[in-house]
Amino acid sequence: MEAINIALFGLGTVGAGVVNLLQENANELASRAGVRLNVTKALVRSAKKARGCDSSHIAFVDNADAILNDETIDVVVELIGGTTDAFDIIEGALKAGKPVVTANKALLAERGTELFALSCETKTPLLFEAAVAGGIPIIKTLQEGLVANRIEWIAGVINGTCNYILSTLARTDAEFDDVLAQAQAQGFAEADPRADIDGIDSAHKISLLAAIAFGTQVDFAHVDCEGIANLSRVDTDYAGDFGFCVKSLALARRCDNGELLVSVSPTLINKSHLLASVSDEMNAVMCQTNMLGPSFSMGRGAGSLPTASSVVADLVDIVRHRENAQRFALIHPVVTADAGFSEDALAKNASPYYVRLRAQDKPGVMASLTQVLAGAKISISSMVQYPLDTQTVDIVLLTHMTTGQAVSQALGSLSTKMSEIDELVHYRVADFLY
Ligand code: NDP
Ligand code: HSE
């Protein structure tokens, strides 16, 4: 049987998963792809490191050209991460006419325009299923399965590390840093885990999904992005009392005024909603489209084998389309049309909000709060007071529909006016999910 020779740039968590998967499912893959998929070369930083897979058949090289100039290599898989060396590798591979598979969402969100253009110019495929939601085939779903639909919105829990942290904190007394360390030990986190907890990784991913779904470039640097580092356990507990759980939710949505909203933020989701049941490193993506209506995909969003599942799916696609690679290379997210992406769409777009105010328990605090909200035309739908001790109280409320802008301004003016206030937080409630 014919064999395809694959070179891996990077043999860490995902790279080892690819080697293990190709070994474990070799026979199924050979019959489905019609060829054998062999990893023959790899570039890593340290050739001496233990690899978490059988690498005895792989020749380790110490420079990229040893792969890019090797005519026996048919396909390149980039799994080193980062936006510099990885860019050079993919650029070099495409120029050499070698199809590329990558899981590198940071690179594609930040510098994808150049690489996708090069892929079109060189008529060489650049595939990236693993870059969003790990093992869930969401890129293929959007590019192929939903191609006949107009997408209204996409909402996703698309960072395994954040979801692992939030769901572990919700069911145990563990500390944030310890749970993050567990996520790192299991290979879910980025090399710099601040990319996960600050929401940047989700922002990379939702930018890519929005580009595909809405046919536009989304300037990643301007995606409205709030992480989970400042989310306090009291807020997840109080949200629970109101019937919600808090998820790091990525959203790409066409607003009523036509603007395209792309955001990542801690968001309250009704406990009975499917997205609320997504726990640990699981990811889920929900799409609302004009013909199918709602659809929901769930699966492991991080980790060695789930991510390898998507990488190898791309390899099989490349093999299946190799007679027609030039056409295949044209399936890309970047279209230059202006789809109305707006940096402040989140703040302007109406939603209910969760608000918590921690204050000294003195007469007038509640009156000032309700007065300020009324002045901003923010209507309260429910409110509970949680005394913390004899002197301090948490006042927690849910609003009816309002805007983030109105809530921020009202709370800002309240904290300037009242020295009794210690903390003020607000989070969006995802009312549009069904
Ligand atoms: P790891 O850190 O586990 O592995 C990175 C690999 O790349 C290592 O083998 C490392 O070598 C090698 N490497 C790093 N920099 C260089 C360099 N400059 N030159 C040569 N080799 C280099 O990362 P992951 O496997 O977790 O992630 C890889 C990519 O996949 C990233 O883009 C990540 O965002 C993405 N991804 C990861 C997922 C996950 O669950 N982990 C899920 C989805 C996507 P050495 O081993 O010698 O240090
Ligand atoms: N660090 C990422 C996450 C890996 O936790 O989701 C998968 O993209």
Side-chain angles (χ1 to χ4, degrees), residues 77-98:
V77 181
E78 183 281 306
L79 298 171
I80 69 169
T83 56
T84 50
D85 291 351
F87 182 95
D88 296 342
I89 287 163
I90 295 180
E91 183 184 46
L94 293 174
K95 283 184 174 165
K98 296 187 194 300

Side-chain angles (χ1 to χ4, degrees), residues 10-14 45-46 49 51 79 81 85 105 187 190 303 307:
L11 192 44
T13 303
V14 183
R45 273 178 305 213
S46 156
K49 215 168 172 179
R51 290 287 154 203
L79 298 171
D85 291 351
K105 55 271 165 155
E190 296 304 298
T307 311

